Amino acid sequence: MHDMMVSRTAPDPAPEAQSPASSNPSFSPLYRQIKGLITRGLQHGDWKPGELIPSESDLARRFGVSQGTVRKAVDELAAEGLLLRRQGRGTFVSTHHEERVKFRFLRLVPDVAEDARALPQPMERQFLECKRTRASQDVARMLGIRSGESVTQIRRLLLLAGNPVVYEDIYLPGPAFRALTAERLESYRGPLYALFESEFSTRMVRAEEKLRAVNATEQEARLLRVKEGEALLLVERLSFSYGELPAEYRRGLYDTRHHHYRNELN
Amino acid sequence: MHDMMVSRTAPDPAPEAQSPASSNPSFSPLYRQIKGLITRGLQHGDWKPGELIPSESDLARRFGVSQGTVRKAVDELAAEGLLLRRQGRGTFVSTHHEERVKFRFLRLVPDVAEDARALPQPMERQFLECKRTRASQDVARMLGIRSGESVTQIRRLLLLAGNPVVYEDIYLPGPAFRALTAERLESYRGPLYALFESEFSTRMVRAEEKLRAVNATEQEARLLRVKEGEALLLVERLSFSYGELPAEYRRGLYDTRHHHYRNELN
DNA sequence: TAGTGGTCTAGACCACCGT
DNA sequence: CGGTGGTCTAGACCACTAA
């Protein structure tokens, strides 16, 4: 991260929250430019997940703006989950190692959970496969690569008290995950995304999911120990790393007889 | 809404974003108290959905605080969807009549939708029933009333191009909806929540959904024109009005062969 | 006690909307 | 043009953390 001043008329590259009929479309407030600079610092690896970033007053000095302007930029980044503020300590780069944000993307909760907001107890994992393969047309389209390109595929089960609840295929693009092995997956304690972050420099920032109900095939039924034809929740997830880069495609089948997918609408 | 000053030490009744190990738990920043006062004004009906609320400087004068403090309060309310800011015009009470927020709670989109963020075209509606009945134990528990109390039940289909896609039962608590009839439902153009807002003084502010996959029963299969046993997406929704008041319970079955439920994770 | 984020203020100016 | 929300500043003080 370099010290640098900032212009007051540069356009905002981020398409978020744009007025459709803006009189001056090439206008970006200062704090958004600061936000962009901080984001670039995160992408570039100036500060790694879990690390402390410079204080607001420090950043304000570097960028040549007031602390309030930096504050607004950091506010938005914290709201998007890229940064984590801790009063009295400083501002940290978000990480999937954080106890508070573990399983941030898993919305499956047991029906009997007394408090739906409580953290789910971790499930047992069983890895069935971890191999290099070529992207099918579907997978390639989701990941924004060409079909036939190399991807890493993980197949696993999640179990609760010995009962399989989730069966999923995970696809990771490109050569970044070449070194990933079944053994490493087995030995690692903690969320997959924490592993990806620590050892493969890929941090998942946000994700889009598509949900549908499907009837279990014979193979799926066997693995999840349900009857063939049983209704399963199919969850397709596309995860993005910094800069809206598609970094993982996941296809999960959830047994929802004793669990449900929880969502909040605002 | 009365003019009134505000204390600097009153506790924050809202449990949101509380530090678990706060040294001084009975501390609430000024802007949260202002937020509470505005929320109370909304509950009390001082400003109705779609109406303009007083300007920030006006509110600041009334409450005896600076404009920046009011601003922060309004920012949060706008982020929660209770208010809508429009530069140059003012701040408005959110309404389900807004073109931009119609079908805010319906996450079902056609598989072929080129832009997932595009507004779905409105579906045809077919009301099967609208009657007064007694709350079952399940429904009563969800709505926070006693079983046996009077509720209004609506049963309907949503269709796209003549094909049924959603079959749902809607339960509304108490006497507020006594006047609701099948005829009114049939004649009304626009989202249900807009009708509830305009004619029954009930605005849905947020909702929680539980999703699972179920096999279609014979009756469900007939209504949705699918095979018996076909996997359907069961969506249970509990909607809340101002002040976290449960105001609607909904049990919907979605045919997800050509549609999916879309969700974003952050 | 020093340093961090969190709140609050007062004032200036800008972008946008309706008239 | 006046009024609204939106941005930016500078400075004061508070709450919290760690040493």
Side-chain angles (χ1 to χ4, degrees):
Chain A
M1 165 73 46
H2 301 74
D3 300 16
M4 55 190 304
M5 297 295 144
V6 146
S7 104
R8 303 196 177 228
T9 50
D12 187 357
E16 5 169 334
Q18 282 283 25
S19 295
S22 181
S23 300
N24 178 10
S26 73
F27 164 76
S28 174
L30 245 187
Y31 75 87
R32 270 202 200 285
Q33 301 177 48
I34 303 300
K35 185 182 168 186
L37 291 174
I38 298 175
T39 304
R40 229 165 299 155
L42 291 170
Q43 287 183 47
H44 188 265
D46 293 345
W47 316 291
K48 302 223 174 336
E51 286 181 6
L52 187 64
I53 75 168
S55 74
E56 293 180 355
S57 52
D58 190 346
L59 290 172
R61 241 177 291 118
R62 297 195 197 194
F63 295 139
V65 301
S66 81
Q67 184 182 343
T69 300
V70 169
R71 175 152 258 276
K72 183 141 187 180
V74 172
D75 275 346
E76 289 201 358
L77 291 168
E80 292 168 18
L82 273 71
L83 296 178
L84 181 63
R85 321 188 74 140
R86 298 205 227 173
Q87 184 169 138
R89 302 188 44 194
T91 301
F92 297 78
V93 183
S94 290
T95 167
H96 288 282
H97 291 275
E98 283 285 333
E99 202 56 50
R100 299 179 44 183
V101 294
K102 269 179 183 169
F103 310 109
R104 189 157 62 109
F105 287 180
L106 182 58
R107 307 291 273 263
L108 197 66
V109 301
D111 290 339
V112 293
E114 48 309 322
D115 183 5
R117 271 161 226 104
L119 286 178
Q121 73 272 48
M123 294 177 166
E124 304 108 73
R125 285 164 295 191
Q126 191 175 314
F127 292 97
L128 308 177
E129 250 182 298
C130 175
K131 63 178 183 187
R132 248 49 58 180
T133 173
R134 309 237 156 249
S136 69
Q137 202 168 356
D138 276 3
V139 170
R141 187 169 40 80
M142 297 304 287
L143 291 173
I145 61 180
R146 278 190 292 272
S147 66
E149 285 194 51
S150 171
V151 296
T152 297
Q153 178 179 356
I154 301 167
R155 180 167 290 182
R156 70 165 181 178
L157 284 175
L158 297 179
L159 307 93
L160 198 65
N163 298 115
V165 178
V166 174
Y167 165 45
E168 61 186 355
D169 278 309
I170 300 171
Y171 300 92
L172 302 159
F177 292 89
R178 246 184 304 112
L180 185 58
T181 63
E183 290 68 37
R184 190 71 195 93
L185 289 170
E186 296 285 358
S187 65
Y188 190 78
R189 301 282 153 234
L192 264 196
Y193 287 168
L195 174 67
F196 295 167
E197 186 180 287
S198 300
E199 305 190 5
F200 302 93
S201 305
T202 300
R203 170 171 161 77
M204 306 303 175
V205 168
R206 65 170 205 95
E208 296 176 359
E209 290 191 332
K210 293 182 184 183
L211 282 69
R212 35 168 56 80
V214 298
N215 294 100
T217 66
E218 185 276 334
Q219 183 227 13
E220 293 158 359
R222 188 160 22 85
L223 280 159
L224 285 169
R225 291 188 218 152
V226 300
K227 288 195 296 284
E228 186 174 345
E230 176 80 39
L232 299 175
L233 184 62
L234 169 61
V235 179
E236 291 180 280
R237 179 195 298 172
L238 185 59
S239 297
F240 298 86
S241 185
Y242 290 123
E244 292 294 287
L245 180 73
E248 182 207 56
Y249 171 64
R250 206 180 261 230
R251 189 177 176 284
L253 287 165
Y254 297 4
D255 175 3
T256 55
R257 290 176 304 172
H258 303 298
H259 295 72
H260 61 267
Y261 182 104
R262 187 173 192 286
N263 198 23
E264 300 230 357
L265 308 179
N266 288 300
Chain B
M1 167 72 49
H2 301 76
D3 299 16
M4 55 190 305
M5 297 297 145
V6 146
S7 103
R8 300 194 179 234
T9 48
D12 188 358
E16 5 169 332
Q18 281 282 28
S19 295
S22 181
S23 301
N24 179 8
S26 73
F27 165 75
S28 174
L30 246 187
Y31 75 88
R32 269 201 199 286
Q33 300 177 49
I34 303 299
K35 186 181 168 189
L37 290 175
I38 298 174
T39 304
R40 228 163 300 156
L42 291 170
Q43 288 183 47
H44 187 265
D46 293 345
W47 316 292
K48 302 222 176 337
E51 286 181 5
L52 186 65
I53 74 168
S55 74
E56 292 180 354
S57 52
D58 190 346
L59 290 171
R61 239 177 292 116
R62 296 194 197 196
F63 295 138
V65 301
S66 82
Q67 185 182 342
T69 300
V70 170
R71 175 152 257 278
K72 183 141 188 182
V74 172
D75 275 345
E76 289 201 358
L77 291 168
E80 292 168 17
L82 273 69
L83 296 178
L84 182 62
R85 321 189 73 138
R86 298 207 229 175
Q87 182 169 133
R89 302 224 280 144
T91 301
F92 298 78
V93 183
S94 290
T95 165
H96 288 282
H97 292 274
E98 283 284 334
E99 203 57 50
R100 299 177 44 183
V101 294
K102 269 178 183 170
F103 309 109
R104 188 158 61 110
F105 287 179
L106 182 58
R107 307 291 275 264
L108 196 67
V109 300
D111 290 340
V112 292
E114 49 307 322
D115 182 5
R117 272 163 226 101
L119 286 178
Q121 73 273 46
M123 294 177 167
E124 306 109 70
R125 284 164 295 187
Q126 192 175 313
F127 292 97
L128 308 177
E129 250 180 300
C130 175
K131 62 179 183 189
R132 246 52 56 180
T133 172
R134 309 239 156 247
S136 69
Q137 199 167 359
D138 276 3
V139 170
R141 188 170 39 81
M142 298 304 287
L143 290 174
I145 60 179
R146 277 189 295 270
S147 66
E149 284 194 50
S150 171
V151 295
T152 298
Q153 177 178 358
I154 302 168
R155 180 166 291 180
R156 70 166 182 179
L157 283 175
L158 297 179
L159 307 93
L160 199 64
N163 298 115
V165 178
V166 174
Y167 165 45
E168 60 187 355
D169 277 310
I170 301 171
Y171 300 91
L172 302 159
F177 292 88
R178 247 185 302 114
L180 186 57
T181 64
E183 291 68 39
R184 190 69 196 98
L185 288 169
E186 296 284 358
S187 64
Y188 190 77
R189 303 280 153 234
L192 264 196
Y193 287 168
L195 174 66
F196 295 168
E197 185 180 289
S198 301
E199 306 190 3
F200 301 92
S201 305
T202 300
R203 171 171 161 75
M204 305 303 174
V205 168
R206 67 170 204 94
E208 297 176 359
E209 289 190 333
K210 292 182 183 182
L211 282 69
R212 36 168 55 83
V214 298
N215 294 100
T217 65
E218 185 278 333
Q219 182 228 17
E220 292 158 359
R222 187 160 23 85
L223 280 160
L224 285 169
R225 291 189 217 150
V226 300
K227 287 196 295 285
E228 187 174 343
E230 176 82 38
L232 299 175
L233 184 62
L234 169 61
V235 179
E236 290 180 281
R237 181 195 296 171
L238 184 59
S239 297
F240 299 86
S241 187
Y242 291 122
E244 293 293 288
L245 181 73
E248 183 207 55
Y249 171 64
R250 205 180 262 229
R251 189 176 176 283
L253 287 165
Y254 297 3
D255 175 4
T256 55
R257 289 175 305 172
H258 305 297
H259 295 72
H260 61 267
Y261 182 104
R262 187 172 191 286
N263 198 23
E264 301 229 357
L265 309 178
N266 288 300

